[in-house]
Amino acid sequence: MKRSLTYLIPDLVMGLGFFLVTFYTVLEIGINGISTFIANLIAWPIILLALLTTVSMFLVVGYSLRLQIRHEVEIEAVSDYYERALDSTNQGLAIIDRNYKVKFQNSVVETNFGNAIRRICYEVYSGRNAPCEGCMVEEVIDTYKPFTTSRTLQDGRIFEITLAPFKDRDGRTVAVETMKDVTEKRKLQDQLERHAMELEHEIELATRELKNDQLKLSEAYKDLQELDRLKTQFFSNVSHELKTPLTVIKAHLHFLKTGKLGELTEKMKRSVDVAMRETLDLEDLVEMILDLAKLDAGNFKLDLVQIVITDIAEDVVERMAKNAEAKGQNLILNVEGEIPMRLIDPRRMKQALMNLVSNAIKYNPENTTTMIRLHADSENIIVDVTDDGIGIEKEELDKIFDRFYQVDGSTTRSGSGTGIGLSIVKELVELHGGTITVESEPGVGSTFRILLPIDWQIEEGGEDRIGIGRGVYR
C-alpha cells in the first residue's frame, strides 16, 4: 500500500497544478469585472479545457489508485498462500544475500532459530560475530553450485541444511537455505548401524560355531563310515561263515529225505521237510545279507543278457505255485500282448519278483489271489504284482522300501521278515534303470508296479557295476 501511494505522487502533483491554474483564472475574472471578461472572451475555451483536464486527471488517479490497491492485495494473498505452503512442509527456508543478510525466512526458521529478516544470519542463527566455520554462502553464490551439510543444535536436534543458488528479481544471486529436522532419522540410522554391527558380530560367532560343528560332523561322518565299513565286513564274514554249515545241513537233510541214512516214517519225513524249508529260508536270508554287503561296498554287479521277462515270470510262478497252494491261495500269470526283449540280469530279476510274490503269499490269508501281470507301452515294460489281501496302511507306504523297515514290527504280526527284502528289490530294479512304486488299500489289496525302460542303455561309467553276459537264460 505504501509503495502504491509513492508511485502516484507525480500524478497527484500534476492534477493539483491544473486545479490551481483553473482556480486562479476564475478568480482573476471575478476581480477585473465584466469588461475584462469580455476582453478575455477568447481565453474561456482554454479555461474550460483546463477544468475538464483537471477533473479527468483526478478520475484517472482515483482509478489507478484502486487498481494498484487491488493488485497489492492480490500479491499479498498469493505471498501468504505460498508462505503457508512452505510452512506446511515442516522445512525451514531462508534467503540470504552475499553479505549474509536474511532477505526472507519462513515460520519454521523463526521458530527454531529466531527472526533474522534484514539482519545478519550468523548473529541470529548461531549467536556469533563472524560467519560459522565452513560456511558456504559465498562459495554457493560465487560458483552457483548447491551444497549440503548438517548442523546439531545445543538441544541435540540435528538439521540437514542445503544451500542452493538463486537469482532474485533484481538479477542478483542469493543463497536459498533449506533446513530439515532429521533428528529422528539420524537416531534411526544410528540404531540400524548398531543393530547391523551386533548382527555382524552374532553372524561371525555363529559362523565360527558352524565351522566347529562342521568339523565335528565331518569327523563323526568319517567315524560312521568306518563303522559302516566294519558292519558291512562283519555281515559279509558272518554270511560266508553261515553258508558252509548251511550247505552241510542241506546235504544231510537230503540224505535223510532220500533214505540214504535209513528208512523214515511219514512223521519223520514231514519233520525233515519242515527243516529243509527253514534251511532254505535261512539260506535266502544269508544271500540277502551278502547282497546288502555288496551293495554297500559298491561291489554288486549285474550279469545282463537280452531276454524276454516273460520267461522269468513263468519260472517264478512255477516255483512259487506250491507255496501258494499250501496256504490255500492262488498264483497266476497274465501276459498281455507282446513283451519286447531287453537287457536283464535273469537271476537278479527273478530274485526281485520272487520276493514280491513271496511277501504276497506270506502276509495274506486263505482264498486270496496273487497275480503277475506283464504288459508294455511305447516306452516301458510294466510288471504288476497284485494281490487282494490285507493291504497296507497309507502312512506305511512311504517307508516300505526303507532298509530294515517292517510294516508291522510287533511280535504278533502274521508273517515273519527282516525288513530288507523290499529295499533290495528297489535297488535291483534301479540297477536295471527302472522304478518301483506301490499302491494299496487296507482290506482291498496291494499292487507293486515295476517300470523297465525298453531302450535302456548302460550309463557311461556304469560298467564297473554292470556286466554284459554272454549266456542265454534257461
Side-chain angles (χ1 to χ4, degrees):
M1 289 291 291
K2 293 179 180 179
R3 294 177 63 186
S4 300
L5 292 174
T6 302
Y7 293 150
L8 291 175
I9 287 175
D11 295 334
L12 291 172
V13 171
M14 186 179 297
L16 182 60
F18 276 107
F19 173 77
L20 292 175
V21 170
T22 304
F23 179 77
Y24 174 77
T25 303
V26 172
L27 184 62
E28 181 69 20
I29 293 172
I31 293 173
N32 294 327
I34 299 300
S35 60
T36 305
F37 172 75
I38 296 172
N40 295 306
L41 185 61
I42 301 173
W44 272 103
I46 297 175
I47 295 171
L48 182 61
L49 179 61
L51 287 172
L52 290 175
T53 302
T54 301
V55 173
S56 298
M57 187 62 66
F58 274 106
L59 291 175
V60 169
V61 169
Y63 180 71
S64 297
L65 182 60
R66 285 198 303 272
L67 287 180
Q68 192 68 28
I69 292 173
R70 187 171 66 182
H71 181 64
E72 289 290 340
V73 169
E74 290 176 354
I75 290 177
E76 288 182 3
V78 171
S79 177
D80 180 67
Y81 172 78
Y82 284 110
E83 188 170 343
R84 285 188 291 106
L86 287 172
D87 292 342
S88 67
T89 63
N90 293 324
Q91 291 193 20
L93 187 143
I95 299 176
I96 305 171
D97 65 14
R98 181 182 296 276
N99 298 317
Y100 298 96
K101 185 175 289 186
V102 178
K103 302 182 70 176
F104 170 81
Q105 69 176 27
N106 67 353
S107 62
V108 177
V109 177
E110 184 175 347
T111 300
N112 290 281
F113 299 95
N115 187 1
I117 294 180
R118 292 186 296 278
R119 298 172 64 186
I120 304 301
C121 63
Y122 53 77
E123 293 179 353
V124 178
Y125 295 162
S126 304
R128 299 169 61 97
N129 297 322
C132 302
E133 183 178 353
C135 182
M136 302 294 291
V137 171
E138 290 189 33
E139 184 172 341
V140 168
I141 292 175
D142 291 338
T143 62
Y144 213 79
K145 292 181 179 179
F147 174 78
T148 299
T149 185
S150 62
R151 178 184 171 193
T152 303
L153 303 185
Q154 292 181 352
D155 59 6
R157 287 182 298 162
I158 303 171
F159 279 82
E160 185 178 82
I161 299 175
T162 299
L163 289 168
F166 176 74
K167 295 285 187 182
D168 65 10
R169 62 187 178 186
D170 296 326
R172 289 173 299 189
T173 303
V174 295
V176 177
E177 182 176 23
T178 57
M179 309 170 190
K180 183 178 180 180
D181 190 340
V182 293
T183 307
E184 294 302 322
K185 179 181 177 181
R186 289 291 180 87
K187 287 181 180 178
L188 182 59
Q189 286 178 341
D190 292 341
Q191 290 177 357
L192 289 175
E193 289 177 1
R194 287 197 300 272
H195 289 323
M197 292 179 63
E198 293 173 358
L199 183 60
E200 186 177 355
H201 180 65
E202 291 177 2
I203 290 174
E204 184 178 355
L205 293 177
T207 303
R208 291 178 185 174
E209 292 179 2
L210 284 174
K211 287 182 178 179
N212 292 333
D213 292 342
Q214 186 179 14
L215 182 61
K216 292 178 182 178
L217 285 174
S218 178
E219 293 174 354
Y221 179 68
K222 290 179 181 178
D223 293 340
L224 287 174
Q225 282 184 315
E226 179 62 18
L227 289 173
D228 188 62
R229 186 190 67 78
L230 293 174
K231 176 211 68 176
T232 301
Q233 185 63 41
F234 172 76
F235 281 159
S236 179
N237 292 340
V238 169
S239 300
H240 281 292
E241 293 297 326
L242 287 174
K243 287 187 73 174
T244 301
L246 281 175
T247 302
V248 175
I249 293 171
K250 281 175 60 179
H252 282 78
L253 289 173
H254 178 71
F255 294 155
L256 286 172
K257 187 174 182 179
T258 57
K260 291 182 180 181
L261 300 179
E263 291 296 326
L264 301 177
T265 63
E266 290 300 320
K267 187 175 181 180
M268 294 169 65
K269 288 180 180 180
R270 288 195 296 272
S271 295
V272 170
D273 288 339
V274 171
M276 180 61 78
R277 286 196 299 272
E278 295 297 326
T279 301
L280 292 175
D281 288 344
L282 183 58
E283 188 176 41
D284 290 340
L285 177 59
V286 171
E287 287 294 333
M288 282 194 292
I289 294 174
L290 279 172
D291 289 342
L292 283 179
K294 291 177 183 178
L295 287 166
D296 289 341
N299 297 327
F300 196 97
K301 292 185 178 181
L302 297 180
D303 188 16
L304 299 173
V305 296
Q306 285 285 351
I307 190 175
V308 179
I309 197 172
T310 306
D311 299 337
I312 301 174
E314 288 174 349
D315 191 7
V316 170
V317 171
E318 182 178 347
R319 295 193 182 197
M320 299 297 294
K322 290 184 179 179
N323 292 9
E325 291 175 2
K327 291 196 66 175
Q329 301 174 8
N330 298 315
L331 176 61
I332 59 177
L333 173 64
N334 180 16
V335 182
E336 300 177 3
E338 184 178 353
I339 306 300
M341 295 186 71
R342 185 192 190 276
L343 281 174
I344 293 175
D345 182 332
R347 176 169 170 263
R348 295 304 183 181
M349 187 55 66
K350 182 173 72 172
Q351 179 184 351
L353 292 181
M354 287 190 69
N355 193 295
L356 294 176
V357 173
S358 175
N359 282 346
I361 293 173
K362 183 186 298 184
Y363 295 110
N364 288 322
E366 284 186 86
N367 300 320
T368 55
T369 299
T370 301
M371 178 177 67
I372 301 177
R373 176 173 172 250
L374 302 179
H375 55 111
D377 57 22
S378 59
E379 297 180 354
N380 298 291
I381 298 171
I382 304 169
V383 182
D384 290 333
V385 179
T386 303
D387 66 70
D388 55 358
I390 59 175
I392 306 169
E393 296 291 341
K394 184 177 180 180
E395 58 269 17
E396 308 281 358
L397 294 178
D398 292 336
K399 307 173 186 176
I400 200 168
F401 294 108
D402 293 348
R403 190 175 293 185
F404 303 115
Y405 181 78
Q406 296 175 343
V407 173
D408 181 3
S410 67
T411 57
T412 59
R413 60 196 176 96
S414 60
S416 60
T418 59
I420 59 177
L422 288 177
S423 67
I424 291 180
V425 170
K426 182 176 183 289
E427 296 200 50
L428 290 175
V429 171
E430 290 177 350
L431 282 174
H432 282 83
T435 58
I436 182 170
T437 57
V438 59
E439 293 181 0
S440 185
E441 185 177 345
V444 177
S446 305
T447 296
F448 288 83
R449 169 165 288 189
I450 297 173
L451 296 180
L452 298 173
I454 297 172
D455 297 328
W456 175 65
Q457 300 293 330
I458 301 173
E459 294 182 2
E460 184 177 352
E463 294 83 357
D464 293 340
R465 300 194 69 186
I466 299 175
I468 304 299
R470 298 182 181 276
V472 178
Y473 177 69
R474 302 292 184 187

